């Protein structure tokens, strides 16, 4: 049985990792309580009261632990991953797993030298049932050849709960690195592209003059040799919305299209994971709430078999490269 532990519990996405791996049959053997987010630690204590708290050094030094899950401050994730891989462990990192080009080079070098797996859990695809279903529909050819994706990632600011590092682009990586990596991952996956170029990108601070370094808006245009993609991410979700963001994805094919309303169908159907499919023969709604999440089971198999079925390693690095390039080249707008 795969044994895993968690370090860097600075973001709630760590619970997606833990839950997914437990469902896949892995054993949660401990976590480091060192964190900038006391609420995450309290929630971990309540959710997994039998799981011991273990120092970071003991976790990294324990040869019986196969996998380390990391959801630290974004700028610290790559460094922890490198330490874990050099200690002989595979890693599952929250997005963004990498915030600088130097980190990307170091992680790539470490993967090559150690043979360890460096995986980023892109929750907006791997932990969203409608996104999993969309992948199956695309692979079945129901909408023909995919030629474009339009992905939006709006977020609710929830200002009172945010730590200081949240407002420092040196720590969170910038909005296109921090959030848009999700949509870049989806573009490559659904279009079947192995690489792409950033055509244009922009960032802005429209609503928080008291935090001048913060970025509350970003967008970018991608192009591969087979498709294009548009991405918009922001922190403008109104408080009245019944969830943290109305994330959507449109996948355009030569014979139809798919629209995902991932987390809410405003003034429509209750719940989440709504998928709409239109092609030459049907126009229908699909409730994806019962769809199986496949990433974690595939990842566990990859650890045992040293394969890349959950997500190719080069795909992870390409998503990181593109998000870093989009951030670095972004034109600042809005003052």
């Amino acid at each position: 049985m795969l044994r895993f532990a968690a370090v860097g519990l600075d973001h709630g996405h760590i619970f997606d990792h833990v839950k997914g791996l437990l469902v896949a049959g892995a054993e949660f053997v401990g976590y480091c309580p060192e964190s900038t987010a006391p609420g995450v630690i309290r929630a971990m204590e309540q959710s997994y009261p039998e799981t011991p708290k273990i120092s970071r050094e003991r976790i990294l030094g324990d040869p019986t632990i196969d996998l380390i899950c990391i959801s630290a401050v974004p700028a610290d994730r790559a460094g922890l991953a490198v330490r874990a891989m050099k200690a002989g462990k595979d890693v599952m990192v929250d997005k963004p797993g990498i915030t600088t080009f130097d980190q990307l080079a170091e992680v790539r070098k470490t993967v090559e030298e150690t043979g360890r797996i460096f995986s980023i859990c892109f929750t907006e695809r791997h932990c969203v049932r409608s996104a999993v279903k969309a992948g199956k529909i695309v692979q079945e050819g129901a909408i023909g050849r995919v030629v474009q994706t339009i992905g939006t990632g709006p977020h609710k600011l929830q200002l009172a709960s945010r730590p200081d590092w949240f407002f420092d682009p040196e720590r969170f990586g910038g909005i296109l690195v921090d959030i848009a990596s999700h949509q870049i991952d989806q573009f490559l996956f659904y279009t079947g592209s192995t690489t792409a170029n950033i055509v244009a990108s922009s960032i802005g601070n429209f609503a928080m003059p008291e935090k001048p370094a913060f970025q509350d808006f970003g967008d970018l245009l991608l192009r591969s040799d087979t498709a294009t993609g548009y991405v918009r991410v922001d922190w403008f979700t109104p408080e009245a919305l019944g969830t943290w963001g109305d994330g959507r994805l449109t996948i355009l094919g030569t014979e139809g299209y798919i629209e995902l309303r991932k987390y809410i169908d405003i003034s429509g159907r209750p719940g989440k994971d709504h998928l709409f499919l239109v092609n030459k023969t049907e126009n229908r709604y699909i409730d994806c709430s019962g769809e199986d999440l496949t990433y974690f089971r595939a990842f566990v198999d990859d650890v045992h078999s040293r394969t890349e079925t959950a997500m190719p390693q080069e795909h992870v690095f390409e998503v990181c490269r593109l998000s870093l390039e989009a951030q670095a080249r972004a034109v600042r707008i809005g003052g």
Side-chain angles (χ1 to χ4, degrees):
M1 177 182 292
L2 183 145
R3 289 164 51 87
F4 74 96
V7 301
L9 279 66
D10 296 282
H11 195 289
H13 280 158
I14 195 68
F15 292 99
D16 292 306
H17 302 186
V18 173
K19 181 180 178 181
L21 287 166
L22 287 173
V23 170
E27 180 184 2
F28 186 24
V29 300
Y31 63 93
C32 173
E34 182 181 336
S35 173
T36 64
V40 173
I41 301 301
R42 288 193 297 269
M44 186 66 72
E45 293 169 343
Q46 294 168 2
S47 300
Y48 303 100
E50 303 302 319
T51 303
K53 298 176 183 177
I54 308 174
S55 73
R56 188 168 294 180
E57 296 304 320
R58 279 186 57 200
I59 288 173
L60 292 173
D62 187 340
T64 71
I65 295 175
D66 307 295
L67 169 68
I68 302 295
C69 295
I70 300 170
S71 189
V73 176
D76 298 337
R77 292 172 188 173
L80 285 171
V82 167
R83 289 183 62 191
M85 289 188 286
K86 288 183 176 179
K89 306 178 191 311
D90 296 310
V91 294
M92 178 183 292
V93 187
D94 185 19
K95 68 80 213 168
I98 290 170
T99 60
T100 69
F101 286 105
D102 286 343
Q103 288 180 1
L104 177 57
E106 184 179 18
V107 169
R108 181 184 282 277
K109 180 172 181 283
T110 303
V111 168
E112 292 172 352
E113 291 176 348
T114 65
R116 296 292 98 192
I117 298 171
F118 175 82
S119 187
I120 298 177
C121 180
F122 294 108
T123 52
E124 292 196 24
R125 177 163 67 91
H126 295 138
C127 301
V128 173
R129 299 178 195 279
S130 56
V132 175
K133 180 65 173 178
K136 293 179 179 179
I137 293 172
V138 167
Q139 290 171 3
E140 290 166 357
I143 63 170
R145 174 181 171 184
V146 176
V147 298
Q148 188 195 44
T149 63
I150 300 175
T152 59
H155 284 62
K156 191 177 290 186
L157 191 56
Q158 298 174 310
L159 192 59
S161 66
R162 302 297 180 180
D164 290 342
W165 60 259
F166 176 80
F167 302 99
D168 181 358
E170 294 296 320
R171 301 294 284 152
F172 72 81
I175 192 170
L176 298 180
V177 168
D178 181 30
I179 302 180
S181 56
H182 279 306
Q183 285 72 32
I184 293 172
D185 160 69
Q186 291 166 65
F187 166 79
L188 293 176
F189 175 73
Y190 292 114
T191 65
S193 301
T194 57
T195 188
N197 296 309
I198 301 297
V199 179
S201 58
S202 59
I203 55 174
N205 182 338
F206 290 89
M208 297 194 68
E210 71 279 13
K211 301 285 187 181
F214 188 61
Q215 300 157 19
D216 56 20
F217 175 87
D219 71 348
L220 62 96
L221 181 64
L222 287 156
R223 183 187 297 140
S224 73
D225 58 354
T226 62
T228 67
Y230 175 73
V231 174
R232 191 206 81 218
V233 291
D234 65 77
W235 289 98
F236 298 142
T237 295
E239 289 299 321
L241 191 73
T243 188
W244 57 267
D246 184 8
R248 300 193 186 192
L249 175 68
T250 300
I251 307 170
L252 176 65
T254 55
E255 299 179 17
Y257 66 91
I258 296 167
E259 181 186 340
L260 305 185
R261 300 179 187 179
K262 297 180 179 180
Y263 311 112
I264 191 170
D265 183 11
I266 54 172
S267 299
R269 299 167 179 83
K272 57 184 181 179
D273 286 307
H274 307 281
L275 186 150
F276 302 86
L277 169 64
V278 184
N279 61 18
K280 293 181 177 180
T281 60
E282 57 184 338
N283 179 351
R284 67 182 173 116
Y285 164 76
I286 302 174
D287 177 1
C288 302
S289 58
E291 190 71 24
D292 186 31
L293 299 177
T294 57
Y295 166 75
F296 296 98
R297 189 180 304 111
F299 182 87
V300 170
D301 290 342
D302 287 341
V303 171
H304 290 311
S305 304
R306 312 316 297 170
T307 50
E308 299 184 14
T309 61
M311 187 165 52
Q313 186 65 77
E314 283 302 319
H315 173 93
V316 177
F317 290 146
E318 183 65 2
V319 174
C320 293
R321 183 190 72 81
L322 288 168
S323 61
L324 290 169
E325 184 175 333
Q327 187 72 48
R329 292 177 49 188
V331 175
R332 193 171 187 98
I333 59 176

